Amino acid sequence: PLTLEEVRMLVELFYLPYHHGALAQELLEHFRWLRANSLSVGVPATAPDACGGTRWRGRAQSFQLLCERTCRLHSRLVSTAGRALLYDLHPYLWDIRNLLLAASAFVLWLGCQSITAPILLGRDAEPWARRGGLFGELQALLPVGNSCDLFYHPPPLFPSSQLYLLRPLLPLDKLGHEGGGCSEVSQGLQAQLSHAPALPGRLLGSFLSLSPEYTFVLEDEGGPCGYAAGALHAEGFLQQRDSSWLPAIRHKYPPDLGTGGSALGQDALEEAVLFFHAEPLAVPQPVLRRFPSLVQLGTAPRVLDVGASRSLALCLLSALRANGSRGVFCQVSDADRQQLSFYSKLG
C-alpha cells in the first residue's frame, strides 16, 4: 500500500487552489529560479561564472529529484490504490506527471545547450486560459504556457503505471555517430519505431547531424521509446540537408544497396534506400514565413499513454519558443496513416 510519506506528497501537491503544500512550493520555487538564472541566458553578472554555474546545476539536480519522486508517486498510485480512489485522483496526478516530465527535460536542456538567447514568453493569457492550482502555475512557467490547447487532454481510460524518462539528447548518445546518424539512440529508436529493420539514420540522421541541440529522447524500462526533434530555422536546415547531408548519405548508401540483400527485411531495406534517394518536396515559402521551425516526433507502438507523447511535444516546443520561434510545422506523407494518427492525437 501507499506509505504515509507518499500520502503526504499527494496532499501537498493538491493542498488548496491558492495555497500549496511544501512539495508543490518547492517545485515552483526551483523552477522559477532555474528559469530566471538559466545558464543559457547567462549567469547573472554579479556572480562569478563557475560559482553561479555550480549553484544552478545543484538546484537543477534538486528539481530533477522532485520531479522523479512525483512521477514515481503516480506509478505507485496506479499500482496500489483501490479502484474508486484511483479513478478519482488519477486525472490530477497524471496531469502533474506529464507537465513535470516536460519541465524536467526543459531544465536539463537549459543546462546543457550552448545557445544564448532570451526565454521568450507570450503576452499575458486571459484568466480562463490556465487552470488553477499547481498545474496552472507550472504551465505559466513554460515558454509555451499560453498555448492552452497543448495542455488540455483527457486522461486514459486505463491508467498505466509505466515510468518514463524524458531528456535532451546527450553527447554520449552521439558516440559512433557518422553522417548517417548511426548512433545508439538512433539505431534503438529505428528498431523500436519500425516494424522491420531498416537503415539507421532515416528517422533522426539529419537532425542529429544538423540540429542536435533540439532533439529529445523518451525512455521507458525497455530503453528508447520515443523522440522529438526540431530545427529552429527550418529554411536553413532544409537547404543544408539537401546540399550537404543528403549527398553524403546517398554516396554511403547507393541505390543498388537494397537489391542484393536477403529476402528477410529486403523490402524495408529497399524502402529506406529509396527514401534517401527520392527528391524531398520543397516547403512553400508562405509556410516557412509563418511557421519558421520544423518539428518531427514519434513513439514506439508500446507507448499507449498519450500523456508521454504530449510531454515530448511540450519540451520540444518550449525549447524552440525559448529561442525565438513563433511557429512550427511538420512534414508527413499523406499515405502514412500511423504518423497522421499520432499527430492528430497530439492535437
Side-chain angles (χ1 to χ4, degrees):
L2 292 174
T3 65
L4 181 61
E5 179 61 29
E6 288 168 334
V7 174
R8 184 180 289 113
M9 285 175 62
L10 195 58
V11 172
E12 289 179 355
L13 285 170
F14 308 102
Y15 194 70
L16 288 171
Y18 300 102
H19 185 188
H20 302 303
L23 174 63
Q25 196 61 45
E26 197 175 356
L27 277 166
L28 284 171
E29 287 173 1
H30 279 316
F31 198 11
R32 288 194 188 106
W33 188 91
L34 289 165
R35 207 193 65 169
N37 298 276
S38 165
L39 297 180
S40 69
V41 296
V43 176
T46 54
D49 186 35
C51 178
T54 302
R55 185 183 175 201
W56 193 94
R57 293 185 189 282
R59 289 197 68 160
Q61 188 175 16
S62 299
F63 181 70
Q64 304 295 327
L65 292 173
L66 288 176
C67 292
E68 286 175 17
R69 284 178 61 198
T70 308
C71 292
R72 280 198 302 271
L73 176 61
H74 167 266
S75 180
R76 289 273 293 133
L77 183 80
V78 173
S79 301
T80 62
R83 295 298 96 179
L85 182 65
L86 172 61
Y87 279 94
D88 276 345
L89 297 182
H90 180 257
Y92 303 98
L93 197 53
W94 182 74
D95 269 344
I96 293 294
R97 192 269 325 238
N98 296 338
L99 201 52
L100 289 180
L101 274 176
S104 174
F106 180 64
V107 165
L108 276 174
W109 175 82
L110 285 175
C112 69
Q113 64 147 343
S114 58
I115 305 165
T116 54
I119 293 180
L120 299 177
L121 294 174
R123 60 186 182 280
D124 289 339
E126 295 293 333
W128 48 263
R130 298 196 193 107
R131 280 181 246 176
L134 177 63
F135 185 95
E137 293 202 40
L138 286 170
Q139 176 187 338
L141 290 172
L142 285 173
V144 291
N146 288 349
S147 305
C148 53
D149 288 350
L150 290 170
F151 296 87
Y152 292 106
H153 43 287
L157 290 175
F158 303 102
S160 166
S161 62
Q162 178 65 63
L163 280 169
Y164 292 101
L165 170 66
L166 179 54
R167 59 174 178 79
L169 192 76
L170 301 174
L172 285 175
D173 295 325
K174 291 182 284 182
L175 285 177
H177 163 62
E178 301 172 8
C182 303
S183 69
E184 183 180 346
V185 163
S186 180
Q187 292 185 50
L189 286 169
Q190 185 76 60
Q192 298 286 358
L193 306 185
S194 302
H195 297 293
L199 292 175
R202 174 175 168 179
L203 282 177
L204 280 171
S206 56
F207 290 99
L208 286 175
S209 295
L210 306 175
S211 186
E213 62 273 20
Y214 292 105
T215 304
F216 293 85
V217 179
L218 180 71
E219 294 180 332
D220 62 12
E221 293 163 1
C225 60
Y227 74 98
L232 183 64
H233 303 292
E235 188 170 13
F237 171 85
L238 294 172
Q239 287 174 354
Q240 199 173 355
R241 181 198 68 182
D242 297 345
S243 64
S244 60
W245 185 80
L246 265 180
I249 289 298
R250 287 168 177 168
H251 178 73
K252 186 173 183 179
Y253 302 114
D256 58 356
L257 180 66
T259 59
S262 61
L264 183 63
Q266 186 174 350
D267 290 343
L269 181 61
E270 288 180 4
E271 182 189 347
V273 171
L274 287 173
F275 173 82
F276 286 132
H277 285 271
E279 283 302 320
L281 294 173
V283 180
Q285 278 299 319
V287 172
L288 290 170
R289 281 196 293 269
R290 186 175 178 188
F291 308 103
S293 303
L294 171 67
V295 297
Q296 182 176 302
L297 300 94
T299 57
R302 69 174 186 269
V303 181
L304 303 177
D305 189 341
V306 72
S309 305
R310 289 267 182 165
S311 299
L312 264 175
L314 278 176
C315 64
L316 174 59
L317 295 176
S318 292
L320 291 167
R321 176 67 182 146
N323 280 307
S325 176
R326 62 181 186 276
V328 303
F329 71 95
C330 56
Q331 291 180 294
V332 189
S333 165
D334 55 4
D336 192 340
R337 293 184 179 180
Q338 187 178 353
Q339 277 292 88
L340 286 170
S341 172
F342 174 77
Y343 285 117
S344 297
K345 286 176 183 175
L346 287 181

